[in-house]
Amino acid sequence: MRRPAIALCLALCAAVIFSLHAGLTFYAPHTVLSALLGGEGADALIVTTLRLPRTAIGVVGGASLGLSGLLMQSVTRNPLAEPGLLGVNAGGALFVTFGVTVFGVASLAGIGMAAVMGALAATALVFSISASTGGAGNPATTLLAGFTVAALLASFTQALLLIDESALETLLFWLSGSFSDRPIGLLQLGLPLLAIGVAGSLLLATPLDVLRLDDASARSVGVNVGAVRLTALGLAALLAAGAVAMAGPVLFLGLVAPHLARRLTDGALPSTRQLIVLSLLTGALIAVLADILARIVVAPGEAPMSAVLALVGVPMLVHLLHRRKGLAA
């Protein structure tokens, strides 16, 4: 794992540095360095208040989504699982829309808090439905409940936006997912949740390794399958909630990052600890690169983050579906 991790760290550092330079205007290295060291002027203001926050939020948000996707795919044994399947994105979007239309929430900090509350509430609802049907430990039941809740909450969001069309203008760019125009203070929401998610994932690494077997085999070696699964899904929800709070609903990153991380491992069956590290780095790298591409692909405008990620995510999703069809045949 050491070589892929080192390579990803170097690539991430290079992407972060390039992100501070790239945009509508490409700044020279001395301009960026002067801005980071406290320089003044319009260029320094752009670097420190626009490019630095979006880059930092991209790193934290991407790492959170990468790890969230890994946890979901591990406990459900479903390579297509990603944060949107638990209704996390839909829950965050509904609470933000409700806050803006009903309570007049306007600040990004308020929107971020509403997104966290909505994401966690949606996940709790999914778990409640799954448990009430007797399938709390069944991955298929949990995924089906997630699909159902996500569709229900998305319909409520659309209804609210139709009732208050002015809210659509306020929320359009947030709902499309982006790292731009976000204050760096939003890291106060995302960083603690990322720290909790990483710590909890490392503690669950050994049980998650065993959970790759069928449930009966995992129970035979003393693993509490239901508790491990629910804890891991809860951590995945926390991680995704932090990312949604900072950047809005970002699609496909949680799907793509874990699969790319697996392809980078030396062994045929990497350990969960290895995948945790590689998924964090891969998610952060993809997020920063996608953010850079979003700035320049339709310059002087800016493309939505999810649209850029779809260029990678949709082909990978099709590939996985074909692969599963081939395995089933």
Side-chain angles (χ1 to χ4, degrees):
M1 182 195 75
R2 194 169 296 175
R3 282 182 295 179
I6 292 174
L8 284 172
C9 283
L10 292 175
L12 179 58
C13 289
V16 166
I17 293 171
F18 187 76
S19 177
L20 297 177
H21 291 73
L24 186 58
T25 301
F26 191 92
Y27 291 132
H30 67 84
T31 303
V32 174
L33 183 60
S34 173
L36 295 177
L37 294 178
E40 298 179 354
D43 293 342
L45 194 64
I46 290 174
V47 171
T48 55
T49 63
L50 296 178
R51 295 186 183 178
L52 180 60
R54 72 185 299 168
T55 302
I57 289 173
V59 171
V60 175
S64 298
L65 289 171
L67 181 54
S68 178
L70 173 67
L71 291 173
M72 290 185 181
Q73 292 170 14
S74 297
V75 298
T76 62
R77 304 192 190 98
N78 187 337
L80 302 179
E82 59 100 22
L85 291 180
L86 282 184
V88 175
N89 290 347
L94 175 60
F95 270 53
V96 168
T97 304
F98 189 79
V100 171
T101 57
V102 177
F103 296 106
V105 175
S107 67
L108 279 175
I111 288 176
M113 286 300 297
V116 170
M117 292 169 60
L120 295 179
T123 305
L125 180 59
V126 170
F127 287 160
S128 299
I129 294 174
S130 182
S132 67
T133 59
N138 189 327
T141 304
T142 304
L143 285 174
L144 182 58
F147 275 125
T148 305
V149 169
L152 178 65
L153 298 182
S155 66
F156 287 152
T157 300
Q158 292 173 5
L160 285 171
L161 291 175
L162 287 173
I163 293 171
D164 187 354
E165 294 184 2
S166 62
L168 180 60
E169 299 178 7
T170 304
L171 294 171
L172 182 61
F173 207 65
W174 185 88
L175 289 171
S176 65
S178 175
F179 301 135
S180 68
D181 297 324
R182 279 15 180 206
I184 201 165
L186 285 178
L187 290 176
Q188 295 176 4
L189 291 172
L191 271 176
L193 295 178
L194 176 59
I196 292 171
V198 171
S201 300
L202 291 174
L203 290 174
L204 289 176
T206 300
L208 288 175
D209 281 333
V210 179
L211 205 61
R212 292 177 180 177
L213 308 171
D214 59 272
D215 287 359
S217 299
R219 290 190 184 97
S220 69
V221 296
V223 173
N224 188 332
V225 174
V228 170
R229 182 167 284 132
L230 288 176
T231 303
L233 288 175
L235 290 172
L238 280 175
L239 289 162
V244 169
M246 293 185 294
V250 177
L251 304 177
F252 293 114
L253 206 159
L255 171 69
V256 172
H259 286 287
L260 293 181
R262 291 186 185 96
R263 292 176 180 271
L264 293 172
T265 55
D266 298 326
L269 189 63
S271 70
T272 299
R273 288 183 183 274
Q274 290 177 312
L275 289 176
I276 287 172
V277 174
L278 294 178
S279 294
L280 287 166
L281 293 172
T282 304
L285 178 60
I286 293 173
V288 175
L289 291 177
D291 183 50
I292 294 171
L293 187 59
R295 295 180 223 173
I296 62 178
V297 69
V298 292
E302 183 162 332
M305 176 67 59
S306 293
V308 175
L309 288 170
L311 297 175
V312 178
V314 171
M316 177 161 284
L317 182 61
V318 173
H319 168 71
L320 291 171
L321 288 171
H322 277 294
R323 190 168 130 192
R324 293 196 77 185
K325 181 180 179 181
L327 290 174

